Amino acid sequence: MEYFENNPRPASLDSHIALARAFIDQHAEQNRRVALVTSGGTTVPLENQTVRFIDNFSAGTRGATSAEYFLESGYAVIFLHRQFSLLPYARHYSHSTNCFLDYMAFSSSGGVVIDTEYQHQMGDVLAKYKKAKHDNTLLLLPFTTVNEYLWHLRDLAMLMQPLGPNSLFYLAAAVSDFFVPADRMVEHKIQSSEEFHSQQPNGNSGEPPAAHMEGKRLIIDLDPVPKFLKLLVDKWAPHSMIISFKLETDPSMLAEKSRYALKKYSHHLVIGNLLNTRKWEVLFVSAGGGEKWLRVPANRRTKSVSGSRPEDAGKDSEPAVEIESWIVPEIEKLHTQMIENGDPRELALFR
Ligand code: 9Z3
């Protein structure tokens, strides 16, 4: 594909692929299912020596939370995530509303301990984390830019091919639809003051740099990101179960856009979600024509906005539920059907 000829291979890729190869070999040998979970937002750098970039809202909650439930369901997980976004297990203690320091206290002898109030809850998380470490079932691979994301997705998918239908792709990352191609990227920081405008070389495309000044205005003219999902489904991972997410803000468009994506890419499942309600409702649109909403009732929703803390919500009623604890077992069921009965794209699901 032209994209990979024209946009540079990330420096981190070789070492990540070496780690992934060992990880996949181990789990292939142990006949374990492997899920590639993508998580967090991609950046679009405007300069090669990047000072400015375009980003998006994603904190990686969906991906990090889902990864924990995949591990609980017996999958090994390659967690391809935006650097510094939320991580499985650590996510419980790593944002402004629940900083890890708040869980700590001094013992009578002056040592640092976990506050007695949190011993139980933290013990649960720690036990799961330690198990994943001990079994080597969680591989963390970071990306930052959309280019790094695409290279990783392609190379990891091809590496996972020997797993056949035992492999699953869960594409929760919020991937930019637009980018600056390498041959339209300037090297140095774009100068805002007119006195310092320079005509920076713009490679051999003959086009103006994608980001440049015109008088006092910054003009940004982005290329579309190639439709990588089509390539993933048809070429890079033809035997895997593939699940993508569709994000919308307008409720009236969600079902139609999700169906459209499924039809266009012919993979297994699109999970539609709305920016404002994504923590408690999602729409499953599956190959075979089945559609259904998963909805966490109001009295069981987690309260924190940037992270999910079952322990801090639903106090006055039933325990709070993370919607991912419902999403992942549904997927596991579909995946089992695919492994046992053949590709569900030929079967009618949810009917
Ligand atoms: C999602 O829709 C995820 O569920 C969210 C999760 C990004 C909304 P958070 O990280 O948010 O928990 O805060 N991911 C996919 C978004 C996306 O870019 N999808 C593409 C599209 O809609 C298709 S791959 O076109």
Side-chain angles (χ1 to χ4, degrees):
M1 188 205 192
E2 235 177 86
Y3 177 91
F4 296 101
E5 281 153 30
N6 297 334
N7 292 279
R9 184 180 172 83
S12 60
L13 192 57
D14 284 349
S15 64
H16 288 170
I17 289 298
L19 292 171
R21 181 172 288 122
F23 185 83
I24 291 163
D25 284 351
Q26 177 196 328
H27 297 296
E29 202 165 294
Q30 295 171 352
N31 202 24
R32 198 175 266 122
R33 296 181 190 177
V34 178
L36 178 76
V37 175
T38 73
S39 185
T42 59
T43 69
V44 177
L46 300 184
E47 304 121 338
N48 253 332
Q49 297 194 35
T50 308
V51 174
R52 301 189 180 92
F53 55 86
I54 299 172
D55 202 352
N56 67 58
F57 69 95
S58 172
T61 309
R62 175 82 77 225
T65 310
S66 303
E68 288 182 19
Y69 291 108
F70 275 114
L71 288 162
E72 214 157 287
S73 297
Y75 285 75
V77 173
I78 300 175
F79 189 64
L80 181 61
H81 66 284
R82 165 72 177 277
Q83 188 175 34
F84 309 129
S85 66
L86 293 176
L87 295 175
Y89 307 117
R91 75 183 169 99
H92 297 274
Y93 311 104
S94 60
H95 37 85
S96 51
T97 50
N98 47 353
C99 167
F100 72 99
L101 293 170
D102 292 331
Y103 292 76
M104 299 182 141
F106 288 109
S107 69
S108 49
S109 60
V112 176
V113 293
I114 301 302
D115 205 322
T116 41
E117 197 186 330
Y118 303 117
Q119 290 280 339
H120 186 67
Q121 177 251 322
M122 221 175 188
D124 283 351
V125 177
L126 184 63
K128 289 177 188 163
Y129 173 75
K130 292 264 185 210
K131 178 164 173 23
K133 280 236 136 167
H134 174 267
D135 298 344
N136 190 33
T137 46
L138 176 59
L139 178 65
L140 305 178
L141 298 179
F143 64 80
T144 303
T145 68
V146 65
N147 182 54
E148 288 168 358
Y149 172 85
L150 292 173
W151 275 92
H152 276 81
L153 184 68
R154 182 187 76 155
D155 282 17
L156 289 168
M158 294 195 297
L159 209 56
M160 287 166 72
Q161 275 190 13
L163 295 163
N166 259 350
S167 60
L168 181 146
F169 289 76
Y170 184 85
L171 306 172
V175 182
S176 176
D177 289 323
F178 302 99
F179 81 121
V180 175
D183 65 358
R184 298 181 61 218
M185 179 109 75
V186 290
E187 179 63 22
H188 293 290
K189 183 189 161 200
I190 300 159
Q191 295 298 325
S192 58
S193 62
E194 287 181 89
E195 287 80 358
F196 291 94
H197 283 185
S198 62
Q199 259 336 94
Q200 292 194 35
N202 43 359
N204 40 22
S205 73
E207 292 186 67
H212 61 271
M213 299 299 296
E214 282 182 22
K216 289 189 167 54
R217 306 177 80 84
L218 172 64
I219 307 296
I220 302 176
D221 169 30
L222 301 174
D223 279 27
V225 167
K227 296 290 176 208
F228 64 90
L229 195 49
K230 188 85 205 137
L231 291 164
L232 181 70
V233 175
D234 293 345
K235 298 223 156 48
W236 305 339
H239 306 297
S240 308
M241 169 157 260
I242 298 178
I243 295 132
S244 73
F245 279 81
K246 172 54 74 186
L247 173 69
E248 291 297 335
T249 57
D250 178 350
S252 72
M253 296 185 75
L254 186 65
E256 196 189 332
K257 292 286 298 280
S258 302
R259 286 178 209 129
Y260 179 81
L262 191 73
K263 191 152 181 253
K264 183 161 172 184
Y265 301 114
S266 20
H267 52 309
H268 299 89
L269 180 69
V270 174
I271 303 181
N273 56 177
L274 294 164
L275 186 64
N276 291 331
T277 61
R278 68 190 192 278
K279 307 276 180 194
W280 63 85
E281 59 180 23
V282 296
L283 172 65
F284 273 42
V285 177
S286 76
E291 281 183 23
K292 72 172 178 185
W293 280 96
L294 291 188
R295 284 198 174 96
V296 176
N299 65 343
R300 300 197 65 188
R301 289 177 194 162
T302 53
K303 286 199 184 113
S304 82
V305 178
S306 58
S308 311
R309 302 204 315 172
E311 66 281 5
D312 73 1
K315 280 190 177 126
D316 44 355
S317 55
E318 295 172 85
V321 194
E322 294 178 310
I323 194 164
E324 292 80 5
S325 73
W326 291 356
I327 295 174
V328 171
E330 286 287 336
I331 289 173
E332 188 196 349
K333 256 195 288 175
L334 295 177
H335 197 193
T336 301
Q337 280 185 34
M338 168 168 159
I339 292 166
E340 290 175 357
N341 310 331
D343 199 315
R345 283 174 286 192
E346 279 120 51
L347 306 169
L349 300 170
F350 303 127
R351 288 202 187 162

